[in-house]
Amino acid sequence: MEEQKRAEGVPLPPAARVGGVVADIDTPSLILDLDAFEENLRTMQVLAERNGVALRPHAKAHKCPEIALRQIALGAQGICCQKVSEAVPFVAAGVRDIHISNEVVGAAKLALLARLARQARVSVCVDHAQALHALSGAMGVQSASIAVLVEIDVGQKRCGVQTPDEALALARLAQQLPNVEFVGLQAYHGGLQHKRSLDQRKKSCDKTLQVIRAFLSAFEQAAIPCPIVTGGGTGSAAFDVGSKVFTEIQAGSYPFMDGDYASNDWGHALSFKHSLFLLGTVMSTPTAERAIVDMGLKSTSAESGLPQPADASSGWSCLAINDEHTILQAANAKSRPALGAQVRLIPGHCDPTFNLHDSIVVVRGQQVEAVWPISARGLSR
Amino acid sequence: MEEQKRAEGVPLPPAARVGGVVADIDTPSLILDLDAFEENLRTMQVLAERNGVALRPHAKAHKCPEIALRQIALGAQGICCQKVSEAVPFVAAGVRDIHISNEVVGAAKLALLARLARQARVSVCVDHAQALHALSGAMGVQSASIAVLVEIDVGQKRCGVQTPDEALALARLAQQLPNVEFVGLQAYHGGLQHKRSLDQRKKSCDKTLQVIRAFLSAFEQAAIPCPIVTGGGTGSAAFDVGSKVFTEIQAGSYPFMDGDYASNDWGHALSFKHSLFLLGTVMSTPTAERAIVDMGLKSTSAESGLPQPADASSGWSCLAINDEHTILQAANAKSRPALGAQVRLIPGHCDPTFNLHDSIVVVRGQQVEAVWPISARGLSR
């Protein structure tokens, strides 16, 4: 175990023992409930297949090869990674189809990307001619080849070209340059995923689709084939799959259903279950209504909301979070969890929470079935 | 290197080469400017010594044994850790005086604490009789002994006993139980550290000191010696050291001066320099005024504010941060950093930022002098 290696003076025992029970897991720990997780995987895969769209789950959400392999085994096309270094442990684990859903700039990153492209089918985004020249050059040095998608800005105001003309120019450049192959467009709008009402999300999604259609029509007029249109996410998946625009969707959070996504109104469109939890222990009960849990911002993200009790009828809620503490407020002395009690919380946002943990404890009911390494944790280059 | 081990299919090159230059560091990377860092270390050490108070820097801020060893070499009494597992790499690196400035609850943690207490002088906080009994028992099993400080709540409303009577009862219990030795009080108030005006901080600090004095007076009346009073922080250090109450201060952030602490008014009380930076690369320039940096919430905390440009005259600022992107807004096309440009940012909060990185690149001017492992990164149990 990695943690054992780091502790030379005194060995660090692992947080959980396979075959053990949840009550014996040391805290704070990240927990995956297998029943809910597997159901979520099936729900999204079925949705994609029923609509004839490929599912390419985003591995930036979990950074865990064991999870990616299960997504692929169930029918996913491959995975997305957001960073080149993030893709490394997935390639090592045998994933052979990876889309880097991001621009890659810098010699060290391009050299690594070329090495990966020699071991797997790899695609990447571009939004600038200079970056595309550098990409082609770096691939050439290692005799690698890579598929290229032009990223278009569909309202997120982040990366991506602004106009169809820019996109066409990049596609034509890719057709001219060696070792790169233009294969389509990426259109992603993160913000709309988290609009709360189903109706708002649908409206935003429709707006995005209009933008994409304008780009596609320019490509059609220019007679440049655009076989792949990739994008979409968990919050818009119900609309993305029937859009006739996206050929594949990049949903990342659906296996986990974090607190932020749970705040969305899902209507009858889709239904996901909470499978991702934080396990903490009450380490202090200084007043009748206050309990302090041994877990804070170093174990969970809170930028999308505080963690919340997994059991909504618990009689307590999270009042505040510090670096290593979460402060619980109980309705009364009776509902305050006792000193030493284990508590289960739902993290606000899955992606940065996974990125804080070296491994995830995989449980079915009260049994520990496995401990999976989060091998791409911290790999942000 | 740890990262190389994780990448079996394709090796992950290190982010920086000792002897190289800053311009060649791969991004995102965490950077320590040695000149500013060393000056900050001296400033706080001199302040403590001039006032006859011990300095026990908080290692939760940096989680880096190389930094702790430099603090101790300069005269620090030892270090604080916030978690038991966090202390493990520091003991392995030779640190022999560690205060766990937190309550420890749970059998696995107590067993680990006992093992550490056999290798180093270790103290820990208690605020509950049940926890003190468990601590004494766990130490006994391994024939270890540990120093105990009763934590008192001085207004933070987190852990700690509420009244002098509770504190006295715990101290007396510690005197009766085997393998534990009562040595004093911990009084920490995190919130007051970040009050912006020097005057506000002084007033809050005075209020805290009044509370502590009431506890100390109860101990004096009960004829229970209280040789250690530990607490304080970077924001209140100028007042803490002259309080005649604290025998040691637990400042953690002073070597780094993050964005949050830089927003404090320091008056003439103390002066620290920014030594901690995030290095990113511009990966997209989709519009004349917008630039996107290859670094986001997986490389920096933002709960205490967005990262800000290290060079205040840069002509751009941070508009937003996502998981893997930071969006820069430039005053005009001329001041927008170019595609591929390296940018240097000051993180909002040092502690959770260190906790995102496996190592820190140590530079003097433009030269890379070392890469230090952040060995306690992720050790939150």
Side-chain angles (χ1 to χ4, degrees), chain A residues 328-356:
Chain A
L328 307 186
Q329 178 74 37
N332 52 54
K334 267 190 181 169
S335 62
R336 191 205 66 194
L339 190 73
Q342 238 186 27
V343 295
R344 200 182 265 226
L345 299 165
I346 297 164
H349 186 189
C350 52
D351 303 34
T353 299
F354 269 100
N355 191 49
L356 292 166

Side-chain angles (χ1 to χ4, degrees), chain B residues 321-381:
Chain B
I321 191 164
N322 302 157
D323 287 357
E324 291 93 356
H325 302 87
T326 299
I327 299 165
L328 307 185
Q329 178 73 39
N332 52 55
K334 268 192 179 168
S335 63
R336 191 205 66 193
L339 191 72
Q342 237 186 27
V343 295
R344 199 182 267 226
L345 299 165
I346 297 164
H349 186 189
C350 52
D351 302 34
T353 299
F354 269 100
N355 191 50
L356 293 166
H357 294 265
D358 286 323
S359 58
I360 185 163
V361 183
V362 178
V363 306
R364 199 175 306 269
Q366 296 303 313
Q367 293 292 314
V368 176
E369 287 217 350
V371 178
W372 291 341
I374 302 172
S375 312
R377 197 268 331 138
L379 299 185
S380 292
R381 302 209 301 268

Side-chain angles (χ1 to χ4, degrees), chain B residues 153-318:
Chain B
D153 183 353
V154 292
Q156 174 149 38
K157 296 193 196 303
R158 201 167 66 185
C159 305
V161 300
Q162 305 295 301
T163 65
D165 282 351
E166 289 174 81
L168 285 171
L170 280 175
R172 287 189 180 113
L173 181 59
Q175 288 177 330
Q176 290 158 17
L177 290 174
N179 304 88
V180 293
E181 183 196 4
F182 172 76
V183 298
L185 301 179
Q186 173 168 297
Y188 178 70
H189 194 327
L192 79 84
Q193 304 297 325
H194 307 276
K195 296 206 168 182
R196 295 306 175 211
S197 94
L198 197 64
D199 191 51
Q200 274 180 318
R201 284 208 305 290
K202 174 149 184 28
K203 277 185 188 149
S204 295
C205 202
D206 285 344
K207 243 171 96 176
T208 300
L209 292 170
Q210 275 176 29
V211 178
I212 306 172
R213 285 192 191 100
F215 276 82
L216 287 174
S217 141
F219 273 78
E220 209 179 314
Q221 280 177 18
I224 300 179
C226 211
I228 297 173
V229 180
T230 185
T234 297
S236 61
F239 315 121
D240 298 329
V241 292
S243 66
K244 314 271 184 212
V245 161
F246 288 110
T247 62
E248 63 176 37
I249 56 169
Q250 299 183 355
S253 301
Y254 70 94
F256 313 112
M257 191 43 44
D258 57 28
D260 184 71
Y261 265 123
S263 303
N264 276 6
D265 165 26
W266 291 88
H268 300 293
L270 267 176
S271 168
F272 297 106
K273 291 184 170 167
H274 290 297
S275 71
L276 185 71
F277 302 96
L278 296 152
L279 211 61
T281 300
V282 174
M283 52 174 281
S284 175
T285 51
T287 72
E289 285 86 27
R290 194 199 313 161
I292 313 298
V293 177
D294 63 351
M295 187 206 81
L297 292 169
K298 291 179 182 169
S299 304
T300 181
S301 88
E303 93 289 348
S304 301
L306 292 178
Q308 292 302 338
D311 173 7
S313 67
S314 65
W316 49 264
S317 60
C318 292

Side-chain angles (χ1 to χ4, degrees), chain A residues 136-158:
Chain A
S136 168
M139 292 299 133
V141 169
Q142 297 192 44
S143 307
S145 65
I146 196 162
V148 164
L149 293 104
V150 174
E151 183 166 26
I152 64 176
D153 184 352
V154 290
Q156 174 149 38
K157 296 193 195 308
R158 201 166 67 187

Side-chain angles (χ1 to χ4, degrees), chain A residues 2 13 109 127 158 284 290, chain B residues 2 27 127 158 284 290:
Chain A
E2 189 180 351
K109 291 179 179 65
D127 69 356
R158 201 166 67 187
S284 175
R290 196 201 307 161
Chain B
E2 190 182 348
T27 61
D127 69 356
R158 201 167 66 185
S284 175
R290 194 199 313 161

